[in-house]
Amino acid sequence: MRRVSVFGATGSIGQNTLDLIARRPDDFNVVALSGGANVALLAEQAKALRAEYAIVAREDLLGDLRAALAGSAVKPVAGRSALLEAAAIPVDWAMSSVVGFAGLEISLAIARNSKTLALANKESLVCGGALLSKVCQDNGTCLLPVDSEHSAIFQCIGGAGKEVERIILTASGGPFLHADPKALERATPEQAMAHPNWDMGQRISIDSASMFNKAMEVLETHALFDVSPEQIEVIIHPQSIIHSMVGFTDGAIMAHLGPADMRGPIGFALNWPDRVDLPLERLDFGALGALSFQHPDPAQFPALELASQTMQMGGLAGAVFNAAKEAALDLFLDRRIGFLDMARVVRYVLAQTDVSGSDTLNIKDVIDADAIARVRAGEAAQKGF
Ligand code: NAD
Ligand code: MG
């Protein structure tokens, strides 16, 4: 039996992870499951999987969680420090799938104490990539990417090193691929949330529509794999069948194909280095017909250019980029700024924030960079950009 924990269990990635774990009750012993505020679902999951601990991030919900778990052997806990303590319980495999910057310290706690960190929380790499890699290296922790593109790249690279010439990230183009840029100024959160291919959480769905998600994935690629910014490309592939590609110095390209179902990359990380039968639809190429590709239009998707700028800046620019993007998304969700203003906010914050003196290996410096960037994003929305 392998001891496993899932942080962000009530979210889209978390539920898909538990779906796979629940299918093999004899293989897994569930230690900790966490949720943000959805106490009813968390309690249901924890009871069904006989978890040792259920952790709700909001401290004021402890009473509700206790009541929902009454009569079961699951131990209820609540609050941010309880969550970080639970993430530090040694297990064989832990999923980090809380959304946003809140996931970084969870990933670090897992990396310090557990054997394998399955990483869905891309913010961990974008904001604290150098620190997280060092902690994994120092502790001999295996880091397996769960983001579908990075799982695809990991699988395509195999054991290759210097032979890798380019990494080609595929992007669906999201719901606004054919939208008129003028109409995009007025796009609403509801329209932005309607992703054509993937069923995901609210924040990542809107980030997909703006391509901020792809921009994050470019930064994630840079943190995970040993390539320079110039070696990372983005290509629009609306069918989302190719999950990313790796080009080698002999001109060959390896592509990873599969259905758009996150249980693919999650299952790969759960069973690595083995491959096991997964409950995924099998591709029927005749039914698919054609796979198409196009270059992204920088005017329509300014987030990609901001990612290049962030890689050139280096250091903690990724933390600034992410915080500005998260704050801009909150402003958009509150309907205080328009859809295209999110990129304007991030551009403003990157131009205003100097983190060149910061230490990328120091968590306090990462947290400070995040906090400063959020203040600047608020400033941008107030003063105009
Ligand atoms: P989601 O919003 O569906 O779920 C997020 C989870 O985190 C929930 O359990 C929520 O309760 C919890 N949470 C939210 N804020 C929290 C906080 N401050 N403290 C503790 N817990 C908190 O998100 P998701 O779509 O599952 O994405 C999770 C992560 O995985 C994100 O970083 C996302 O970018 C990444 N990711 C998601 C997908 C996908 O298909 N959904 C694909 C690739 C990567
Ligand atoms: Mg992805």
Side-chain angles (χ1 to χ4, degrees):
M1 293 275 273
R2 288 165 69 206
R3 284 163 54 84
V4 299
S5 290
V6 179
F7 299 95
T10 56
S12 169
I13 293 284
Q15 291 184 53
N16 277 312
T17 307
L18 295 188
D19 173 81
L20 294 179
I21 289 173
R23 286 166 195 266
R24 288 164 45 199
D26 297 339
D27 293 346
F28 301 110
N29 197 335
V30 178
V31 177
L33 298 181
S34 88
N38 189 343
V39 166
L41 177 59
L42 176 64
E44 189 190 309
Q45 293 173 329
K47 284 191 281 193
L49 290 163
R50 298 167 187 276
E52 277 176 51
Y53 299 93
I55 308 102
V56 63
R58 267 181 41 194
E59 202 144 7
D60 57 310
L61 294 175
L62 180 60
D64 292 358
L65 182 61
R66 206 174 267 147
L69 289 171
S72 77
V74 185
K75 296 184 197 88
V77 273
R80 175 78 181 166
S81 44
L83 175 57
L84 292 178
E85 274 169 36
I89 299 174
V91 290
D92 296 303
W93 189 93
M95 167 62 81
S96 175
S97 61
V98 161
V99 62
F101 185 69
L104 171 60
E105 285 180 287
I106 296 170
S107 300
L108 287 169
I110 295 169
R112 280 195 193 98
N113 298 287
S114 292
K115 287 188 193 146
T116 299
L117 164 63
L119 188 61
N121 176 267
K122 55 191 81 190
E123 296 83 0
S124 295
L125 285 165
V126 172
C127 305
L131 176 57
L132 184 62
S133 301
K134 183 166 191 313
V135 171
C136 285
Q137 209 168 22
D138 290 351
N139 293 279
T141 308
C142 174
L143 190 163
L144 293 172
V146 170
D147 210 344
S148 61
E149 294 76 3
H150 306 82
S151 173
I153 296 163
F154 180 86
Q155 295 179 54
C156 290
I157 284 188
K162 281 203 286 294
E163 311 89 319
V164 173
E165 188 173 67
R166 54 204 274 240
I167 291 181
I168 306 159
L169 287 165
T170 50
S172 70
F176 298 147
L177 179 56
H178 304 294
D180 173 353
K182 283 209 192 82
L184 280 189
E185 294 281 3
R186 294 185 306 274
T188 64
E190 290 73 24
Q191 290 166 332
M193 234 125 70
H195 197 280
N197 304 339
W198 297 92
D199 178 17
M200 308 180 286
Q202 182 196 51
R203 300 186 74 91
I204 186 174
S205 295
I206 297 179
D207 280 351
S208 296
S210 61
M211 285 251 196
F212 265 113
N213 182 51
K214 206 51 56 181
M216 290 285 285
E217 290 178 355
V218 166
L219 301 175
E220 201 183 347
T221 302
H222 191 228
L224 265 175
F225 304 102
D226 188 18
V227 287
S228 64
E230 298 73 32
Q231 288 173 287
I232 306 171
E233 300 167 31
V234 173
I235 191 83
I236 292 181
H237 164 48
Q239 296 83 12
S240 297
I241 295 296
I242 298 182
H243 297 145
S244 277
M245 301 180 256
V246 176
F248 297 89
T249 44
D250 60 359
I253 290 178
M254 300 280 277
H256 178 283
L257 287 74
D261 184 334
M262 283 308 293
R263 291 177 305 174
I266 295 167
F268 177 82
L270 185 60
N271 297 295
W272 186 85
D274 299 329
R275 281 192 189 270
V276 308
D277 197 351
L278 294 177
L280 267 60
E281 221 181 274
R282 272 33 179 182
L283 289 183
D284 173 350
F285 284 92
L288 276 175
L291 299 181
S292 59
F293 305 93
Q294 70 189 74
H295 288 294
D297 174 359
Q300 193 170 10
F301 298 117
L304 294 175
E305 170 54 33
L306 293 170
S308 302
Q309 191 187 328
T310 301
M311 283 190 291
Q312 299 303 339
M313 288 168 72
L316 286 177
V320 172
F321 175 93
N322 176 67
K325 180 213 70 133
E326 284 191 18
L329 177 54
D330 286 333
L331 291 164
F332 174 63
L333 286 170
D334 288 346
R335 293 175 162 74
R336 288 175 55 202
I337 63 171
F339 181 74
L340 292 179
D341 291 335
M342 289 192 284
R344 297 182 183 118
V345 168
V346 174
R347 185 174 298 117
Y348 172 98
V349 175
L350 280 173
Q352 299 288 322
T353 318
D354 179 14
V355 282
S356 55
S358 307
D359 178 359
T360 54
L361 295 179
N362 185 334
I363 184 68
K364 190 179 170 302
D365 282 13
V366 182
I367 291 171
D368 286 350
D370 174 271
I372 293 166
R374 281 172 205 269
V375 173
R376 295 262 196 283
E379 228 174 72
Q382 261 178 356
K383 289 204 287 197
F385 19 77

